[in-house]
């Protein structure tokens, strides 16, 4: 195709994506928002909301796959922004399975994807969950320090897993767990692999369920692995490919991205979209409040101090959206993140979400600090985006190493 025949640049959403955006927005407005306060207080998985999402086709493998394959790459970030605009905790309960599904889809064999990913969602009549388990009590950002071990038992042709995972979304209550474990500890992160753990596998149990600052409608817990035995075929990507990769590493050759890292690379723009949705919700609430609230005989939005806050909030939201959309488009079209664009999107959008929700509280004053107004919950929810799937500090490290070409420490 010559330059004159190239598709014109446009930031306008395609008709299909725009329709999905409106559909998800209506679901978030009519189903998620009215239930947000209740499930935040209950700190429980919102099963009735999941059932509603499954009935309309929102919580389904077909919907998620369609959005991932959408040609512009904007299907997922647009969907995620609208869901998290509704409420972050409930939205994460709906989206949490996606991380486990993405981990298998990224490096799994065709047979593994076909067999196990559908089992993470189930049907509208019988909802299933997936959980991706990477972090450990002593290995969060430092994935090379993972201590969960997977040992291959040649006699039985099985893997035996032992260890403890933490901060796992849907951990312990999921039907399918995908667990990152060290097979060759001497090789650090290069000696790790992911394993699919089917339902009701002996030796897997839930540990502590965490009481969290925010996203409280999303279940987060420890997962304990005590002599969990798995058929050899349940190593993600297949044992043969894993052995080939380890052989390359031992020969001093560069290995392809490890499963956990590849999963996070693919989902970082999505986390940015989560922060974007929460930030937008807080901005819109603060804007309406400033247009209606009166002090000293004037609408508070008429005061420059408030108007300037709103101006900065809106500018940061739009800047974050452009970064998220760029990274999502690049990922969908096979463009390398040559300057760590995925990390840029996650870093800026997540920190923006914290700033904007904090400013929303400031605009509401004392009202904003109470649970009678939703910006208090939005602020609590926003903080997680700077922590999970790579802290802000890790994102800066990744970006710094990428742009300098130096081993920034």
């Amino acid at each position: 195709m010559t330059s004159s025949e190239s598709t014109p640049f446009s930031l306008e959403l395609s008709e299909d994506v725009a329709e999905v955006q409106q559909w998800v927005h209506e679901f978030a407005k009519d189903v998620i928002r009215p239930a947000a306060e209740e499930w935040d207080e209950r700190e429980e998985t919102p099963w009735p909301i999941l059932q509603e999402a499954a009935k309309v086709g929102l919580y389904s493998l077909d919907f998620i796959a369609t959005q991932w394959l959408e040609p512009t790459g904007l299907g997922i970030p647009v969907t995620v922004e609208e869901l998290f605009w509704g409420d972050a905790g409930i939205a994460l309960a709906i989206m949490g399975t996606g991380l486990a599904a993405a981990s298998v889809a990224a490096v799994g064999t065709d047979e593994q994807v076909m067999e196990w990913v559908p089992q993470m969602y189930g049907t509208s009549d019988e909802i299933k969950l997936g959980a991706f388990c990477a972090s450990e009590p002593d290995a969060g950002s430092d994935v090379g320090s993972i201590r969960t071990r997977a040992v291959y038992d040649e006699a039985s042709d099985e893997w035996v897993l032992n260890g403890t995972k933490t901060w796992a979304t849907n951990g312990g209550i999921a039907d399918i767990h995908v667990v990152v474990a060290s097979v060759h500890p001497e090789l650090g992160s290069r000696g790790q692999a992911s394993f699919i753990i089917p339902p009701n596998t002996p030796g897997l149990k839930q540990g502590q369920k965490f009481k969290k600052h925010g996203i409280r409608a999303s279940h987060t817990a420890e997962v304990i692995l005590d002599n969990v035995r798995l058929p050899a075929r349940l190593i993600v990507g297949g044992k043969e490919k894993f052995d080939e990769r380890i052989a390359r590493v031992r020969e001093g050759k560069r290995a392809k991205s490890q499963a956990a890292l590849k999963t996070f690379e693919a989902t970082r723009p999505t986390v940015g979209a989560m922060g974007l949705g929460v930030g937008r919700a807080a901005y819109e609430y603060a804007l309406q409040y400033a247009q209606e609230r009166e002090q000293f005989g004037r609408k508070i939005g008429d005061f420059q101090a408030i108007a300037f806050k709103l101006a900065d909030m809106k500018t940061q939201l739009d800047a974050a959206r452009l970064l998220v959309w760029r990274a999502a488009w690049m990922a969908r079209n096979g463009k390398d993140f040559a300057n760590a664009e995925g990390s840029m999107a996650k870093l800026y959008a997540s920190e923006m979400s914290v700033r904007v929700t904090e400013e929303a509280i400031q605009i509401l004053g004392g009202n904003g600090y109470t649970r009678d107004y939703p910006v208090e919950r939005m602020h609590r929810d926003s903080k997680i985006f700077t922590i999970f799937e790579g802290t802000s500090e890790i994102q800066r490290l990744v970006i710094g190493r990428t742009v300098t070409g130096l081993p920034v420490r």
Side-chain angles (χ1 to χ4, degrees):
M1 180 181 290
T2 65
S3 58
S4 61
E5 296 173 326
S6 298
T7 303
F9 174 76
S10 174
L11 288 174
E12 186 175 2
L13 295 176
S14 70
E15 184 177 342
D16 288 345
V17 174
E19 287 180 358
V20 169
Q21 181 185 47
Q22 184 60 35
W23 174 59
V24 177
H25 179 80
E26 292 301 318
F27 183 86
K29 176 172 67 71
D30 297 337
V31 181
I32 293 178
R33 278 203 166 181
E37 181 180 359
E38 174 189 353
W39 292 99
D40 177 71
E41 292 288 345
R42 292 176 64 165
E43 297 191 56
E44 298 174 357
T45 299
W47 290 105
I49 310 300
L50 286 174
Q51 289 170 345
E52 289 298 315
K55 286 178 183 177
V56 300
L58 181 57
Y59 184 80
S60 72
L61 176 58
D62 286 345
F63 176 74
I64 296 298
T66 299
Q67 298 316 303
W68 272 112
L69 296 174
E70 192 278 322
T72 68
L74 301 184
I76 287 292
V78 164
T79 295
V80 169
E81 179 181 340
E82 295 304 328
L83 284 174
F84 280 75
W85 173 88
D87 175 68
I90 294 176
L92 194 58
I94 294 172
M95 296 296 299
T97 292
L99 190 59
S103 69
V104 175
V107 295
T109 65
D110 292 341
E111 292 77 11
Q112 288 173 338
V113 174
M114 293 295 290
E115 180 178 2
W116 297 106
V117 175
Q119 294 189 51
M120 297 181 191
Y121 287 92
T123 66
S124 59
D125 296 325
E126 188 178 10
I127 295 171
K128 304 291 185 180
L129 300 176
F132 182 68
C133 309
S135 295
E136 297 185 359
D138 296 317
S141 298
D142 183 10
V143 295
S145 295
I146 284 176
R147 294 182 180 178
T148 295
R149 286 295 312 277
V151 177
Y152 179 61
D153 182 353
E154 291 188 13
S156 62
D157 193 28
E158 292 178 322
W159 293 98
V160 183
L161 275 64
N162 284 282
T164 298
K165 293 296 180 178
T166 194
W167 311 119
T169 299
N170 296 335
I173 65 171
D175 298 273
I176 306 295
H177 290 76
V178 181
V179 174
V180 180
S182 178
V183 181
H184 300 283
E186 72 280 6
L187 299 179
S189 62
R190 297 177 299 170
Q192 296 169 1
S194 292
F195 297 84
I196 299 167
I197 303 183
N200 304 314
T201 298
L204 184 149
K205 64 179 180 179
Q206 179 184 311
Q208 175 187 4
K209 178 186 175 183
F210 295 103
K211 297 179 69 67
K212 304 188 298 295
H213 178 62
I215 55 167
R216 300 195 322 195
S218 173
H219 175 95
T220 309
E222 290 181 328
V223 174
I224 299 172
L225 306 162
D226 183 11
N227 285 322
V228 171
R229 302 187 74 90
L230 303 172
R233 66 186 181 86
L234 293 185
I235 181 172
V236 178
K239 187 175 184 301
E240 183 177 340
K241 286 189 177 180
F242 176 74
D243 289 340
E244 290 174 358
R245 177 162 66 84
I246 294 301
R248 288 197 300 270
V249 171
R250 295 195 186 283
E251 292 172 4
K253 296 179 181 178
R254 183 180 179 86
K256 296 180 180 179
S257 297
Q258 285 74 53
L261 297 179
K262 198 159 187 176
T263 299
F264 292 139
E265 287 169 7
T267 57
R268 277 171 182 160
T270 303
V271 178
M274 295 176 184
L276 181 58
V278 174
R280 188 184 114 213
Y283 161 76
E284 290 177 358
Y285 196 94
L287 174 62
Q288 182 178 356
Y289 187 90
Q291 292 168 330
E292 297 173 354
R293 172 77 166 173
E294 290 191 5
Q295 290 286 277
F296 306 104
R298 301 162 63 185
K299 306 292 187 186
I300 66 170
D302 193 35
F303 292 99
Q304 189 179 79
I306 302 300
F308 277 17
K309 285 184 184 295
L310 291 165
D312 285 343
M313 292 159 74
K314 177 59 174 172
T315 300
Q316 292 172 45
L317 281 163
D318 283 9
R321 185 176 292 106
L322 288 172
L323 284 170
V324 168
W325 283 16
R326 179 183 68 169
W329 176 86
M330 291 177 68
R332 177 65 184 89
N333 289 278
K335 308 290 185 182
D336 290 336
F337 288 160
N339 292 293
E341 287 85 355
S343 290
M344 286 184 189
K346 199 261 188 194
L347 170 65
Y348 186 82
S350 62
E351 294 196 342
M352 174 280 300
S353 188
V354 175
R355 290 193 301 269
V356 166
T357 54
E358 182 176 15
E359 288 288 55
I361 291 177
Q362 197 70 19
I363 290 172
L364 269 67
N367 286 334
Y369 198 66
T370 70
R371 293 193 179 182
D372 294 329
Y373 290 79
V375 293
E376 178 272 341
R377 183 180 69 251
M378 294 169 185
H379 184 54
R380 285 190 286 109
D381 290 340
S382 70
K383 186 57 188 172
I384 191 60
F385 306 126
T386 69
I387 298 172
F388 73 2
E389 294 193 46
T391 63
S392 289
E393 290 73 24
I394 289 297
Q395 305 311 319
R396 287 186 168 89
L397 188 66
V398 171
I399 297 166
R401 286 175 175 173
T402 304
V403 299
T404 65
L406 300 173
V408 178
R409 296 181 176 86

